[in-house]
Amino acid sequence: MFQLLLFLSLFSTVLFGGALNISSENQNILKGSSLYIDVENRSFEEIIKVDDFEPIEDEYINLGVLSDASVWIKFSLSNASQEYIQRYLEIVDLYPDSVTLYSESGELIKSDLLSDNGSLSTLNLSYSLIFAALSEQTYYMQVHNDKTMMRFSMNLQSSGHYVDQSVKDIIENIFLFGLIIALMFYNIVIYFHTRESMYLFYVLYIGSVVLQQLSYVSILPLLFSQEIVDIAHTTSLVQISLMYMSASLYSQSFLSTKNYPRINKIYYIFIALAIIEIPFFGTSLYYLPEVGLVTGLLFVFFNTFSGIYIYLDGNKQARLFALAWVMLVFAYSIIILDSLGLIAMMKDIPNLILYFTAIEALLLSLAFSDRYSLLREEKEDSDHKLLETLQAQKVLIDQEVEVKTQDLNLAVKKEKVLLKELHHRTKNNLQLILSLIRMQASHAEHYETKEQFNQLESRIAAISRTHEILYLKDDFESIDMQTYIETLCSQMQEGVLESLDFDLSITQVHMPIRESVYVGLIINELITNTIKYAKPEGSKKVEIVMHSEFGDYTLSVGDNGQGYCSDIKSPSGLGLSLVKTLVEDQLEGDIELNNKQGMSYLIKFSL
């Protein structure tokens, strides 16, 4: 038995010496295959006759963009076991429309993982292959991709390993894209709340990154029809240009580059390049996505430099921004250099850029919060400094107010002394005038002349009494009318020989000095008329009532005499003429006369 097994092993080695054994659960079959680049657009029948296939030494191919050529991969697979084996051939990083798989006989092999509309049902294009016992099969795979990068690898997996890996990849991508999209919606909400344009630019930037990554990790064919995938393929340069153009606008707003004219100008140059590159290098007439990739690489380094420079210049708001882009420099450098065919690292870490994009989106979202916190701290610090300044100013103002108040109080005291002296001197001068009038009246020979002197003396005495009250009190703004009228009545009562009684009703009435003098003269004239003309059966009695309400004053003066006929509108005597003039011209009021029961005068005016 042992000899038989040894014979079969040696026989298999000889029989399948140039083929790859499929016994492993998961293996890369690109290394060990052979490659031929077809620039003449040959048919399958012509290709199988070509002897120029070159061995492939790497597990990942990255040839850049081959717009006018196809790549043919020739590989042989052997089943050295005694039973049939099913394996899944997984083509990583290629779109389904760019791959055609043939058997050695020329039979076209269709992927049973493609839906009817041509879209993928898994992340990567796969073919289900069945191998009979002790068999060897040779395959030819044609790859033609003139829109995106020619990079891919080929894995042969068992059913169980293929399903487990596919589920793991899908869950991983859903989580990463879900995180990025959630941050996008978060910033959309902030934009509608604040209406700050940088949030909108940030959302556009992250959206373009998501769109580009959906294509890069082969999720786009899984979600959409082939027509949409084709559009995405032919607009890859547009996606890249949109990505760094929106990033430029967002960075300008976030970093406040208006304060840095040179940096701001370079951002505008990148925006202009993005607009120019699309029609010149992103159409079917002339498609050169490498231009956008190089520009994008330059932008990544420049944006990182700008964030670091502005942070070191004292703008703390740029710290998380700079950190996010420093991390992305490494990731973007890898993907761009890998896309240009200069390195081949993405085969080992295909989701590297997606991880870094998620981290960047998180850091930039945190940068907004950090920016808000810093602005709030700056505001609180400014408010604190302003409060300290205001408090210091308040102390100075209080000190100055105290000094000014002392000076003002001193000035007021001096003014009061001067006003008292003024009113005292005025009163003395009026008394001197009264003395002169009395002396002149004593030499008058006619009764009428003496009577006129007496009336003049009474009027001047009424004015003098006002100034006497003022210099005896501290309030120079108004006169207490009750005290003033009581003093006038007492003075007039002393100046007559006959009996004269007063009934006064004056409650809480105060008036300015000038108007109080007018009222005093009016009362003096009306009492004088009562003394001269009232002839009651008993003693003469004068009733004076005065009150005020909200600036409206009412004065009533009446006696118990028999009354007399007089027209107040055109008075004949000097006394009533003076009263009418004072009421209507000086006080701008009205006067009414009633002589049915004695004489009664009702005066109303407003101040």
Side-chain angles (χ1 to χ4, degrees), residues 118-144:
S119 62
L120 282 173
S121 57
T122 59
L123 286 179
N124 295 310
L125 176 64
S126 301
Y127 296 89
S128 175
L129 304 178
I130 298 178
F131 300 88
L134 300 175
S135 65
E136 176 182 346
Q137 299 180 30
T138 300
Y139 298 91
Y140 291 84
M141 185 176 76
Q142 181 188 20
V143 181
H144 181 76

Side-chain angles (χ1 to χ4, degrees), residues 22 84 86 288 391 425 441 587:
I22 63 171
Y84 85 93
Q86 182 183 21
L288 195 61
Q391 289 176 343
R425 288 178 180 270
L587 295 178

Side-chain angles (χ1 to χ4, degrees), residues 519-550:
V519 172
L521 290 173
I522 291 170
I523 293 174
N524 178 81
E525 293 300 325
L526 295 179
I527 294 175
T528 299
N529 283 347
T530 297
I531 294 171
K532 290 172 60 177
Y533 302 114
K535 300 186 180 299
E537 296 180 357
S539 62
K540 295 181 180 180
K541 184 177 181 180
V542 178
E543 181 182 13
I544 301 176
V545 178
M546 188 175 188
H547 61 83
S548 65
E549 184 176 4
F550 303 112

Side-chain angles (χ1 to χ4, degrees), residues 238-394:
V238 176
Q239 299 169 32
I240 296 171
S241 299
L242 178 62
M243 185 167 58
Y244 69 78
M245 181 172 65
S246 56
S248 297
L249 294 170
Y250 151 69
S251 301
Q252 281 181 304
S253 180
F254 186 89
L255 297 175
S256 300
T257 56
K258 290 182 179 179
N259 300 324
Y260 307 90
R262 292 183 179 179
I263 292 178
N264 197 50
K265 185 177 181 180
I266 295 175
Y267 275 118
Y268 279 120
I269 291 175
F270 275 108
I271 294 172
L273 286 175
I275 297 173
I276 293 172
E277 287 175 359
I278 292 174
F280 281 94
F281 303 105
T283 64
S284 57
L285 296 177
Y286 193 73
Y287 187 74
L288 195 61
E290 290 92 339
V291 175
L293 291 171
V294 172
T295 308
L297 179 61
L298 292 175
F299 172 78
V300 168
F301 281 100
F302 169 74
N303 204 36
T304 305
F305 164 77
S306 299
I308 295 174
Y309 176 82
I310 292 175
Y311 170 69
L312 294 177
D313 193 52
N315 188 346
K316 293 182 179 180
Q317 299 175 24
R319 56 190 179 186
L320 287 180
F321 177 93
L323 176 61
W325 281 90
V326 165
M327 296 180 65
L328 272 185
V329 162
F330 176 71
Y332 273 124
S333 299
I334 290 176
I335 189 173
I336 292 175
L337 294 175
D338 188 89
S339 298
L340 293 173
L342 300 178
I343 61 174
M345 293 182 61
M346 296 304 294
K347 62 183 179 64
D348 299 320
I349 41 176
N351 281 340
L352 173 69
I353 191 64
L354 190 57
Y355 275 108
F356 275 92
T357 300
I359 295 173
E360 181 217 20
L362 181 60
L363 284 175
L364 292 179
S365 295
L366 291 176
F368 288 126
S369 301
D370 184 57
R371 178 175 182 268
Y372 173 77
S373 299
L374 289 172
L375 289 175
R376 184 176 60 184
E377 290 177 4
E378 291 176 2
K379 181 180 181 301
E380 291 175 353
D381 184 58
S382 299
D383 291 343
H384 180 70
K385 290 181 180 179
L386 178 61
L387 182 60
E388 290 181 347
T389 303
L390 291 176
Q391 289 176 343
Q393 291 179 348
K394 183 178 181 298

Side-chain angles (χ1 to χ4, degrees), residues 553-567:
Y553 294 84
T554 301
L555 172 64
S556 175
V557 180
D559 59 35
N560 59 346
Q562 298 298 322
Y564 64 94
C565 294
S566 178
D567 186 4

